[in-house]
Amino acid sequence: MIPQGLKYLLYSIAVFSSWQTTHAQNENFRQLHEKLHRVKDSSEYVKTLNSLSFFHHRNNLDSCFWYATKALEISQRLRDEKGTSYAYTNFALFYTRKRNARLAIVYNYKALQIDKALSDSGNISIDLSNLALAYRAEGNLGKAQEYEQQSLLLGSRYPELGDYKVDLINYLEYYWKDPAKSDSVKWALKELRGIAAKHPYTMEWYEARLFESMIQIKTKPFAQTEKRINELAEEAYEKGLPDESLTAYFHLKGDIMHLGYKVDTIGYAEKIFHLAKEIGDNESIMDVIPGLYAHYLPEKDWKKLALYDASIRQLATFEQSEAGKLPAVDYISYFLKEQQMQELQITNQLQQQAIMQSDLQRTSHRWLLIFLLSLLVLLLIFTAIYCLSYYASRRYAIALATLNAGITEKNTRLQAGDDFKNRLLSLIAQDFRAPIKDIIETAALWQRGTHDRKALLDSIVRVEQDSRVTLDNFDGILRWIKSQFSDFVFHPVACDITEMLPKVIDSMQADADNKGLSIDIRIPSATVVAADPDMLQFVHRTLLRQIIALTGHGGTIRIKAEPHDGETIVWMEGHPIAVTPALLGLLDLPQPEDKLMLVTGGDFMTKMGGSLQVEAAAPDTFGLVYILPSQDFLHAAHVL
C-alpha cells in the first residue's frame, strides 16, 4: 500500500486543481513566469505567486517556501483573503514535505478559518479534506475521520468541487478492505464512477477502475484481476499519469499479497523503484529499496546493488541538504508581528484616552460601587427574611396538614365503626325478631295449656323452624362480622342455586302463605355460580324477606335466573308492590333497618365479586337483582 505521506501529496495535486486556472501537473513553468511579469502587485499577481509555489512543492522546497512567503506578504497588504488562504495552504504543503504534520495542520486550519469567513464552500471542502489527510499522517485517526465526514458531506452537496472525488478516493483507500463498511464502499465507488464518467482517462477515472478491480478480486480469478490492474497501470503511464501507475503497482505489491495471493513482489518493487526515480518520488524509493536490497544481496547481483546504493546515497545527501535549508527567518511570524505592532499602537492611543476618562469617572464609580454594595446588603437581608418566613409557613402548613389528616382518619374510623354497629343492630333486630316472637307466643300457648294435639304439634314444629332460622341468622351475622375484618379472604366454591333457593323458600313459606303470595321459580337446572354458600344463603333470605314484605296480599313472587357473558343474573320480583315506585328507586324502604339489610347484602355480594341492584320493571312491580360469576369463571380462575 502507498505510504500515507505519499498519498497525501499525490491527492493534494488534485485537491488544489479547483483553486487554480489549470491543473498543476500540466502547468507550464515558463508560462507562469511570463504571467508573473505581466501582472504586478494585484490579486492576479498573488494568485500567480501561489501557483508557482504549488508548482515547486514537489521538486524545490526552497522555491515553494519563497513564493508562498511573497504571496502571503502581498495578499496581506492588499487584504486579499483568498490569496492569504492559498498561501497558508502552500505553507501546509511545504511542512508536509518536511514531515512536520503539526505545522501542516496549523496552516490548513488557518486557511479553513479564512474560507469559512468568506463562505467559500469549494475551498472549505478542500481545507477539510487537507485537514483529514494531515491528521491521518499525524496518526490522529479520530480527528481525521471527523474531517473526512465533514468534507464528504459538503462535497456530496456540491459534487462539482474538485476535492469531492479525492475524498471518495481516500475513503476507498482507507476502508475498501473493511467488511463492516462494504455498503459505504459500494456507495463511494458508485459516486466516483459517476464523476469519472464525465472525465475519462483522468486520475479519478483510473482510481475508480483500480478499486473496482480490487473489490472484485474475491469473485473473479486472481490472474484476470492482476492482468487488468497491470493494463490500467500501463495505460495510465501512457496517458501521462505516472502517479496512477505507481498506485496500481503498490496495490499489487502490498494489498493483494496481504490478501493471501501469490504475487511477484520483487518484480513489482522494481517497477515501483524505476517509476519513482523517473518522477522523483523519494518516499516510494525508500519504501521498496530495503526489500530489493535484501533480495539481491544473497544473490550477489552487484550491478543492481550498486544502483540501489547510489539511490540511497543520493537520498541521504538530499535529506541532509534539505534539513539545513529551512529558512533562518520565520517570515510568517515576522509579518504577523508587524501587524500586531500596528494594532498595539492603536491600542496605546485608546488606552491614553481611557486613562483620561477614568480620572473623570473614578469618583462617580466609587459612589456607584457604594450604592451597589448597599443595595446588595439590603437584598441579602430581604432574602434572609423571606426565606425564614417561607420555611416557617411551610412548617406550619405541614403541621396543619398532618393534623387534618389525623382528624380525617379518626372521623373515617368512627364513621366506619358507627356503620358497623348500626348494621349489626339492624341484623339482630330484623333476623331475630320474628323467630323469637314465635317462640314467645308458643311458650305462652303452652303455659295456658291446650288439649288440641294438632295445635300442640304445629307449635312444636314452628318452634323448631324458628330455632333453625335463628341459628342460621346468627351464623350469617357472625360471617358478616368476619367479612368486615381487613384480613378476610374470600374463597369461591361452586354453588347450585336450584338446590339453595328451595331451602330458603321453605323457611319463609309460612310468611308468604300468611299474605296469600304465590312463588314462581323459573331457574334452569344446574345453575351454578362461584360464591360462598353461607353468604349467598344470607343474601337469598334477605332479598326474599324484602320481596315478601313489599309485595301486596294475593300477589306473585317470581324468581328467575339467566347466564350472560360468564355471569349469572338472578331476579326476585314481586307484583303488585305495596309501596310507591319513587321510594323503591331510592331504596327508601318502609323501615330504616330494611334498607340496612339490603346494604349488608350488598356488602356480601361485593365480597364475592358480584353486585346487588334494585329494579322496577313496571309501575307496580318491584325487583331485586344480583349478579355473580358463573361456574365457568371459577374453572378459568383455577386454570390461571
Side-chain angles (χ1 to χ4, degrees), residues 424-441 466-467 469-471 473-474 477 511 545-546 549 590-594 597:
L424 181 59
L425 292 174
S426 174
L427 290 173
I428 294 173
Q430 183 69 18
D431 286 345
F432 291 105
R433 182 186 300 165
I436 293 176
K437 181 179 179 181
D438 288 342
I439 293 173
I440 292 173
E441 289 178 355
D466 291 341
S467 299
V469 170
T470 302
L471 182 61
N473 290 340
F474 184 74
I477 291 171
D511 295 336
R545 183 180 296 112
Q546 296 301 324
Q591 299 295 330
E593 58 269 17
D594 295 336
M597 290 294 292

Side-chain angles (χ1 to χ4, degrees), residues 280-296:
D281 189 346
N282 297 334
E283 292 190 21
S284 297
I285 293 174
M286 293 302 297
D287 186 71
V288 297
I289 276 184
L292 292 172
Y293 203 92
H295 176 76
Y296 286 110

Side-chain angles (χ1 to χ4, degrees), residues 411-596:
N411 289 336
T412 303
R413 291 178 180 175
L414 290 173
Q415 184 65 37
D418 291 341
D419 292 343
F420 176 75
K421 289 186 290 183
N422 290 336
R423 293 182 186 180
L424 181 59
L425 292 174
S426 174
L427 290 173
I428 294 173
Q430 183 69 18
D431 286 345
F432 291 105
R433 182 186 300 165
I436 293 176
K437 181 179 179 181
D438 288 342
I439 293 173
I440 292 173
E441 289 178 355
T442 302
L445 178 63
W446 289 354
Q447 288 177 355
R448 291 194 302 267
T450 179
H451 299 286
D452 188 350
R453 182 179 179 83
K454 182 178 183 304
L456 183 62
L457 291 176
D458 290 341
S459 64
I460 293 174
V461 170
R462 187 164 57 254
V463 169
E464 187 270 337
Q465 290 176 348
D466 291 341
S467 299
R468 187 183 300 109
V469 170
T470 302
L471 182 61
D472 292 340
N473 290 340
F474 184 74
D475 184 67
I477 291 171
L478 292 178
R479 184 168 297 276
W480 177 78
I481 294 173
K482 182 180 179 181
S483 70
Q484 301 304 307
F485 296 153
S486 59
D487 58 348
F488 174 75
V489 179
F490 169 64
H491 298 288
V493 297
C495 299
D496 192 343
I497 299 177
T498 57
E499 295 179 358
M500 299 176 69
L501 277 174
K503 297 178 181 179
V504 176
I505 293 172
D506 290 342
S507 65
M508 299 183 183
Q509 187 65 49
D511 295 336
D513 292 342
N514 291 336
K515 297 183 69 174
L517 301 179
S518 63
I519 300 177
D520 182 13
I521 301 176
R522 299 179 182 179
I523 299 178
S525 59
T527 300
V528 182
V529 297
D532 182 280
D534 296 327
M535 287 185 179
L536 185 57
Q537 284 294 73
F538 177 85
V539 172
H540 286 158
R541 289 195 301 272
T542 301
L543 299 186
L544 187 58
R545 183 180 296 112
Q546 296 301 324
I547 295 296
I548 292 173
L550 295 174
T551 303
H553 289 275
T556 302
I557 297 175
R558 296 186 182 89
I559 302 175
K560 59 181 180 178
E562 180 181 327
H564 180 71
D565 291 339
E567 297 177 331
T568 298
I569 305 174
V570 179
W571 288 269
M572 292 187 182
E573 298 177 346
H575 175 82
I577 57 175
V579 293
T580 62
L583 294 176
L584 292 176
L586 297 175
L587 283 180
D588 290 336
L589 301 177
Q591 299 295 330
E593 58 269 17
D594 295 336
K595 182 176 180 180
L596 289 174

Side-chain angles (χ1 to χ4, degrees), residues 180-288:
K181 295 184 178 292
S182 59
D183 293 336
S184 300
V185 168
K186 290 179 182 178
W187 169 83
L189 182 58
K190 181 181 178 181
E191 289 282 297
L192 184 61
R193 286 180 62 88
I195 296 173
K198 302 176 182 178
H199 306 284
Y201 307 112
T202 56
M203 178 197 71
E204 59 269 19
W205 190 86
Y206 283 105
E207 288 286 347
R209 277 147 185 79
L210 279 174
F211 280 111
E212 184 179 28
S213 300
M214 297 298 295
I215 292 172
Q216 294 176 353
I217 193 171
K218 294 183 179 181
T219 59
K220 290 186 177 181
F222 167 66
Q224 180 180 346
T225 302
E226 185 180 23
K227 179 181 178 182
R228 173 60 177 162
I229 295 176
N230 276 290
E231 290 174 351
L232 289 172
E234 294 171 3
E235 183 180 349
Y237 183 81
E238 293 174 358
K239 296 291 184 180
L241 295 172
D243 290 334
E244 291 306 310
S245 301
L246 203 65
T247 300
Y249 292 139
F250 265 109
H251 278 305
L252 290 170
K253 174 182 176 295
D255 294 334
I256 293 181
M257 182 184 68
H258 292 162
L259 293 176
Y261 297 99
K262 293 183 178 180
V263 180
D264 184 8
T265 56
I266 298 301
Y268 289 121
E270 287 186 340
K271 289 184 178 182
I272 293 171
F273 174 78
H274 292 294
L275 188 57
K277 276 188 64 96
E278 180 180 340
I279 63 176
D281 189 346
N282 297 334
E283 292 190 21
S284 297
I285 293 174
M286 293 302 297
D287 186 71
V288 297

